[in-house]
Amino acid sequence: MSTTTPLSLPEVQSRLDELLEVEFSFRDTAAPAKAIAALPAPQQAQLINWIERIASTHVELGYQVACKGAEAQALIEPDNFEAWLFHSMDRYDAEGLRPALLIIEQYREFAEQQQARLRGALLQEHEGVLSHFLQGLSGRPLKLAVAETIYTDTETLFLPPLLSLLPTPEQNFHHYKVTCALLWAQIRFGSFRPLLPLTSAEPALLQLYHAMEMLRLEARLQRALPGLYRALEQIRQTLHEPELPAEWRQFLAPLSATETEAEDVLHLARQQLGRLTPYPPASHPVTLALDAVQGCMITRIEKERARFKVALNTLLDELPRNDPAEQHGERQFSKRPQQDPTAAEGLQVEILLDDMPVPLPDSVQALRRSILLDLGDIPDDYLQPAGPGEYDPALLHDQTRDAEDVWRGSYHEEGAYLYDEWDFQRRHYRKQWCAVREREITPRYDDFSERTLEKYHGLIKQLRKTFEAMRHENRLLKRQPEGDDVDIDALVEALSDAHLGFEMTDRLLTKMQRNERNIAVIFMVDMSGSTKGWINDAERESLLLLCEALESLGDRYAIYGFSGMTRKRCELFHIKHFEEPYSELIRARISGIEPQDYTRMGFAIRHLTRVLQTTEAKTRLLITLSDGKPDDYDSYRGQYGIEDTRRALIEARRGGIHPYCITIDEAARDYLPHLYGPAAYSVVDDVRSLPLKVSDIYRRLTR
């Protein structure tokens, strides 16, 4: 479509009728066509382009954009216009059609927020920094999430997507930090401990308690994080927040005292109920969400009690007795206030075994801190190791839930990694679209490895010799100031320089240097249902031969299988982690590789890219063994799956990963150049030769 000559009204209406499937839906495009036809050519082209992209997601969404788009373009800046439409599509992915339509309908409100966005801070832009800030604070790890009100459920901090009360983005970012610190302080200093039995208490008491408690927390914040408290004071001055009411000032000293706890504040609130009027401070509109807190805390307390008792059982088995002469008799855990003067305030309980301090592993230390945050103490019954019948796997793990529960409650956060997926039609990512889990392969202890090693006995010996030679290869360094031989090329150039009157260089020698390999590679193995039979056997044999050869080379390597069935069940099967030694267990896992579901590839590439990016290496490879193109039984098949996989590979390359594909698909030459590029794949024509080819390809890739 030309951006210099606008379409006429009949042309616009014809185009809308086509995009919005008017023949089948009977939508009236006359009014939106009239508004769009009146636009200048560039705006007209842009809007019709967006209608096409959004209608590919849902025709009704596209129709509403056609109806509202012309007026929205006039109100919203171009960059924010795209953000408005992307926001609608993201809401459609996460919550469905009706919430997405609401975003489209509220374009005026979106336009009004433009100025606020210009001076405000967006949570999405600062989430990484704020997460790192929270990691540096004591207590349990905390997540961030978007909500209209500011509160915490003791595991997640809920913040608005935009803060714009202050004049500049930098000031509003500091407002986010202060708000995070106050929510953290609620958890860290026990604000919720006295409230759990009070969920049915009268709202007036809770409101007064909350106002008093925030004063106590501000005092704690002033002692723990004085720099952040100064930021809070500056926010108050900028907002011209009124001074503390006169009737409240008499309580400031007792609420700020070091020894004052949340229980004391609740007692004071009961005394002053009806006498004091709570006041809402503009600088931190933190709210209480007791229903969310109670649901989260009760579930966590039950789980952590079981985990702590099981952990004590493990410690009993691992720790030696203090007195070896006492071989019999019951050993007892106990506790005492921690004597370390540097210990964090409010977390001063030390665990003893037979009256001696116990060296707790990091995981148990974190569990102890979390229990103290909830209860303020380690109850005596927690110090009794788990007995027969007390070990309940359902409390310790969340493996009993069905995959369909992925998007219910917080299960998708607890049990899965969430990855975006590229939609080529809308030219935009579907946010947190794929739920990805790592699963264990059940080892199969059979004669597979013995049969394979016997079958390829001669080849394995040859591969080991070849790989061993690669390990000790030397590299000739030229133009060196010191070395073993003369660099003829450098000498000729130096003599030429001298003849012309220039100073001769002293880098005239060559030197042999041991080629130090610094390689990390992940083998990503297709476990889709189409690999059943010979292909599965060839993959397993190839992996076994690779492991045998790589052990002589010394490269770090990991192996994962992948398969999927829709976006809700994207699975990676752990066969070998980088840190695991090659052993009988790894051979048994390779033997246990079995065909699963479909070949959804994008999520696997994204997840394994993340794994490789956390691995220190000069060269990082992601090698895929596959029998066909990306596929799933939902919309992933066809061009959608190919384009998402291609986008995931582009992301991997940008992250410093070198992807390569080895396939036995005879039609692969039609699509692999588009996915991997012309020199980043190999097609093995005969599945039976796959074990012979894979090691040779790896050798050529890493020389």
Side-chain angles (χ1 to χ4, degrees):
M1 175 181 171
S2 172
T3 57
T4 57
T5 304
L7 297 178
S8 65
L9 176 57
E11 289 173 323
V12 172
Q13 186 160 4
S14 174
R15 184 74 174 123
L16 292 183
D17 288 350
E18 175 190 352
L19 295 176
L20 302 175
E21 302 175 1
V22 168
E23 182 180 355
F24 307 103
S25 63
F26 306 104
R27 292 181 174 88
D28 182 6
T29 59
K34 183 177 180 181
I36 295 172
L39 293 173
Q43 286 90 330
Q44 190 185 85
Q46 181 198 41
L47 182 53
I48 292 176
N49 180 38
W50 273 108
I51 293 169
E52 179 181 7
R53 291 164 67 174
I54 293 174
S56 71
T57 297
H58 197 287
V59 174
E60 182 61 26
L61 270 180
Y63 177 67
Q64 292 302 323
V65 170
C67 293
K68 310 290 194 304
E71 187 175 349
Q73 268 188 332
L75 294 174
I76 303 173
E77 293 292 331
D79 289 346
N80 287 322
F81 182 78
E82 290 193 2
W84 168 61
L85 295 171
F86 280 141
H87 183 36
S88 173
M89 288 191 289
D90 290 342
R91 185 64 63 86
Y92 173 78
D93 289 341
E95 300 179 31
L97 180 61
R98 180 170 292 184
L101 290 173
L102 188 62
I103 299 295
I104 299 296
E105 291 171 6
Q106 294 177 339
Y107 66 93
R108 292 186 182 87
E109 290 84 343
F110 193 92
E112 290 171 1
Q113 292 171 1
Q114 270 191 41
Q115 293 305 315
R117 288 173 180 270
L118 290 176
R119 68 172 183 271
L122 289 169
L123 180 60
Q124 184 177 7
E125 293 180 0
H126 299 293
E127 187 172 357
V129 176
L130 293 173
S131 295
H132 287 303
F133 166 66
L134 289 170
Q135 287 175 8
L137 301 175
S138 61
R140 71 172 62 92
L142 298 170
K143 300 186 287 287
L144 294 172
V146 174
E148 294 304 318
T149 55
I150 298 172
Y151 70 96
T152 179
D153 64 1
T154 70
E155 290 183 359
T156 302
L157 308 187
F158 294 89
L159 300 167
L162 171 73
L163 280 182
S164 57
L165 287 174
L166 301 169
T168 69
E170 183 180 5
Q171 288 174 307
N172 284 302
F173 164 68
H174 287 297
H175 197 182
Y176 264 129
K177 283 188 72 174
V178 168
T179 305
C180 284
L182 286 166
L183 291 171
W184 162 80
Q186 284 186 302
I187 303 166
R188 175 64 181 76
F189 299 114
S191 296
F192 303 112
R193 288 178 205 150
L195 293 182
L196 285 183
L198 291 177
T199 51
S200 60
E202 57 182 292
L205 174 61
L206 296 178
Q207 192 177 8
L208 183 58
Y209 166 78
H210 179 55
M212 289 182 167
E213 177 64 4
M214 294 311 295
L215 291 177
R216 182 182 78 95
L217 295 180
E218 287 179 21
R220 292 286 179 111
L221 203 63
Q222 185 176 14
R223 291 193 289 271
L225 301 169
L228 212 61
Y229 181 78
R230 287 193 293 272
L232 174 58
E233 290 291 288
Q234 290 173 358
I235 291 170
R236 285 196 170 122
Q237 292 173 11
T238 305
L239 293 174
H240 305 292
E241 187 173 297
E243 292 186 1
L244 193 67
E247 63 270 21
W248 278 78
R249 291 175 194 160
Q250 60 180 309
F251 302 108
L252 191 57
L255 290 172
S256 303
T258 305
E259 65 276 6
T260 303
E261 300 291 342
E263 290 81 0
D264 304 318
V265 177
L266 183 59
H267 179 68
L268 183 61
R270 283 198 180 99
Q271 289 181 337
Q272 299 301 319
L273 185 61
R275 302 176 187 175
L276 280 179
T277 301
Y279 68 98
S283 55
H284 52 79
V286 175
T287 60
L288 282 175
L290 290 186
D291 289 342
V293 170
Q294 178 163 276
C296 193
M297 284 185 68
I298 288 176
T299 302
R300 182 178 58 250
I301 287 170
E302 186 178 5
K303 288 181 181 178
E304 290 185 343
R305 177 182 178 276
R307 289 173 179 162
F308 195 74
K309 291 167 74 69
V310 169
L312 293 187
N313 233 350
T314 304
L315 285 173
L316 277 180
D317 295 336
E318 295 176 351
L319 293 174
R321 289 180 178 271
N322 296 328
D323 185 356
E326 295 181 8
Q327 296 299 322
H328 304 286
E330 187 176 350
R331 309 178 72 188
Q332 292 187 341
F333 285 98
S334 58
K335 63 185 179 182
R336 71 180 176 194
Q338 203 167 14
Q339 300 302 315
D340 183 1
T342 64
E345 183 182 16
L347 299 176
Q348 300 181 354
V349 175
E350 187 175 29
I351 305 300
L352 310 174
L353 176 59
D354 298 337
D355 298 325
M356 294 295 291
V358 178
L360 298 178
D362 290 344
S363 59
V364 184
Q365 289 277 24
L367 193 56
R368 178 183 67 92
R369 285 194 297 269
S370 183
I371 293 168
L372 287 168
L373 286 175
D374 285 338
L375 306 177
D377 192 10
I378 303 293
D380 291 338
D381 68 303
Y382 280 48
L383 300 173
Q384 304 299 318
E390 286 191 79
Y391 183 91
D392 183 358
L395 291 175
L396 306 181
H397 306 284
D398 291 328
Q399 304 300 324
T400 56
R401 305 188 208 185
D402 188 80
E404 291 301 312
D405 291 336
V406 121
W407 305 106
R408 300 175 193 160
S410 62
Y411 178 48
H412 64 286
E413 293 179 357
E414 297 170 5
Y417 302 91
L418 298 180
Y419 287 97
D420 298 348
E421 189 170 88
W422 179 254
D423 186 330
F424 78 100
Q425 290 179 306
R426 65 165 71 167
R427 284 168 273 175
H428 181 53
Y429 286 100
R430 293 178 180 265
K431 299 294 180 60
Q432 298 188 336
W433 189 244
C434 294
V436 179
R437 286 180 176 74
E438 284 193 22
R439 292 183 54 189
E440 297 288 336
I441 280 187
T442 303
R444 182 188 296 153
Y445 293 93
D446 56 11
D447 63 346
F448 165 76
S449 59
E450 287 78 7
R451 285 189 286 106
T452 303
L453 295 177
E454 178 63 28
K455 178 180 178 181
Y456 296 101
H457 176 70
L459 176 62
I460 291 172
K461 289 180 67 175
Q462 179 184 342
L463 287 173
R464 284 174 176 164
K465 287 181 180 179
T466 304
F467 278 42
E468 183 69 25
M470 289 170 59
R471 184 175 185 177
H472 298 294
E473 280 181 347
N474 291 329
R475 184 161 57 101
L476 181 65
L477 301 180
K478 294 188 173 185
R479 302 180 186 276
Q480 300 298 306
E482 299 177 355
D484 309 313
D485 206 347
V486 176
D487 186 338
I488 299 299
D489 293 337
L491 179 61
V492 170
E493 290 181 15
L495 291 173
S496 176
D497 288 343
H499 181 71
L500 294 172
F502 299 112
E503 183 179 353
M504 284 183 62
T505 179
D506 62 346
R507 294 181 170 272
L508 302 173
L509 302 174
T510 62
K511 180 171 63 175
M512 298 300 293
Q513 184 181 61
R514 175 65 57 83
N515 187 15
E516 296 294 337
R517 297 176 66 86
N518 186 10
I519 295 173
V521 58
I522 289 181
F523 295 96
M524 188 177 107
V525 185
D526 185 353
M527 289 175 56
S528 60
S530 59
T531 62
K532 187 175 183 180
W534 280 13
I535 299 174
N536 178 256
D537 293 340
E539 283 184 340
R540 293 187 299 146
E541 290 178 351
S542 302
L543 291 174
L544 198 64
L545 296 186
L546 262 175
C547 291
E548 294 289 332
L550 285 170
E551 286 302 302
S552 62
L553 184 57
D555 289 353
R556 286 171 293 163
Y557 66 100
I559 306 172
Y560 291 83
F562 74 95
S563 179
M565 180 181 286
T566 77
R567 69 188 184 96
K568 291 187 176 184
R569 203 172 83 192
C570 302
E571 296 175 329
L572 282 155
F573 297 86
H574 152 235
I575 300 166
K576 181 185 179 299
H577 290 317
F578 278 113
E579 65 275 9
E580 286 184 293
Y582 180 55
S583 63
E584 185 63 31
L585 174 61
I586 304 301
R587 289 191 285 271
R589 287 180 186 156
I590 293 173
S591 177
I593 295 174
E594 293 181 344
Q596 302 293 323
D597 298 310
Y598 291 87
T599 319
R600 201 178 193 105
M601 291 182 70
F603 78 87
I605 294 168
R606 292 184 176 95
H607 184 76
L608 297 181
T609 293
R610 175 188 284 186
V611 173
L612 276 168
Q613 286 175 330
T614 61
T615 305
E616 290 294 331
K618 184 177 180 180
T619 303
R620 291 173 288 189
L621 299 173
L622 177 60
I623 299 178
T624 303
L625 297 180
S626 177
D627 77 324
K629 67 176 65 174
D631 185 45
D632 204 338
Y633 82 80
D634 59 7
S635 61
Y636 200 80
R637 61 183 31 172
Q639 189 177 359
Y640 183 104
I642 288 176
E643 294 300 330
D644 174 60
T645 302
R646 181 172 182 268
R647 178 65 58 148
L649 291 167
I650 291 171
E651 295 164 17
R653 291 190 188 96
R654 288 173 180 168
I657 311 301
H658 303 283
Y660 195 90
C661 182
I662 303 171
T663 183
I664 60 168
D665 183 10
E666 295 179 357
R669 292 181 179 87
D670 295 336
Y671 61 86
L672 280 186
H674 181 63
L675 290 178
Y676 283 86
Y681 70 92
S682 294
V683 179
V684 178
D685 297 324
D686 184 0
V687 64
R688 289 169 293 190
S689 67
L690 187 64
L692 310 176
K693 297 284 189 180
V694 171
S695 296
D696 182 59
I697 291 169
Y698 180 77
R699 180 180 59 81
R700 289 189 282 110
L701 280 176
T702 60
R703 286 188 72 91

